[in-house]
Amino acid sequence: ARKRAPQGGDMGREEAKAQSKEAQQAKEKAAFEKKQAQRDKQWEVGAKDTSGDAAAAAKAAEAAARRAERKAIEEEEGAMGKSTKPKKKDDVKKGPTKAEKAQRALLAAQALEKAEKAAKKTPKKDAAPAAASGDVASASEGVGELTIS
């Protein structure tokens, strides 16, 4: 690269360069001032004001306690109904379930079978002719079979 001697046209270039530099500095300064103004605005707003939060929470807790108390009283009064007996729950079933009934029937059949075996071991005078004819054996055959559906 050759170095040229300064000519009259070069002065315009330097002035343009200086003007461009000043314009860039002015632009940066304006951006900085804008950003600073936003920061100042945020600092003025400051942190969230939490002074009312504790009072609002206490008020909500009191309201919840009142609602719970009112609900308990209504349930108590509703449970009484027209008489002093508490209302029966719909989901509570009455009596034994099918499984309980089947279990009882099975236990009863086993107890009957056991009693019959004990009766066979100690034959009575009146039961001897009946045992010889086979009537007792045929009566006890159907007892042991129990189907649960």
Side-chain angles (χ1 to χ4, degrees):
R2 284 192 262 158
K3 212 172 193 185
R4 285 197 263 161
Q7 294 177 357
D10 286 339
M11 287 303 280
R13 188 189 303 163
E14 289 176 6
E15 286 177 10
K17 212 176 194 180
Q19 284 178 353
S20 173
K21 190 175 183 180
E22 287 175 12
Q24 184 65 28
Q25 286 176 346
K27 187 177 174 185
E28 288 175 359
K29 185 178 180 184
F32 175 77
E33 287 176 1
K34 183 179 177 185
K35 191 184 283 185
Q36 198 64 32
Q38 286 177 338
R39 286 182 183 158
D40 290 344
K41 184 179 175 184
Q42 184 62 39
W43 275 103
E44 285 176 12
V45 171
K48 182 181 173 187
D49 183 20
T50 59
S51 61
D53 288 354
K59 188 175 180 182
E62 289 175 14
R66 284 194 307 270
R67 283 192 301 270
E69 185 178 354
R70 187 178 332 124
K71 185 176 179 183
I73 291 171
E74 287 174 1
E75 285 180 3
E76 186 178 317
E77 289 174 353
M80 287 188 179
K82 294 181 180 178
S83 65
T84 56
K85 290 183 181 177
K87 287 185 178 179
K88 291 183 181 178
K89 302 280 184 184
D90 292 335
D91 59 347
V92 176
K93 294 184 178 179
K94 303 170 192 167
T97 63
K98 285 184 179 180
E100 290 172 345
K101 287 179 182 177
Q103 182 68 24
R104 287 182 185 170
L106 182 64
L107 291 173
Q110 288 174 351
L112 181 63
E113 193 174 320
K114 197 174 191 181
E116 286 179 354
K117 284 183 182 178
K120 282 184 183 179
K121 288 182 180 177
T122 58
K124 294 182 180 177
K125 293 181 181 177
D126 296 334
S133 65
D135 291 338
V136 176
S138 63
S140 65
E141 287 177 2
V143 175
E145 299 175 15
L146 177 67
T147 55
I148 300 173
S149 57

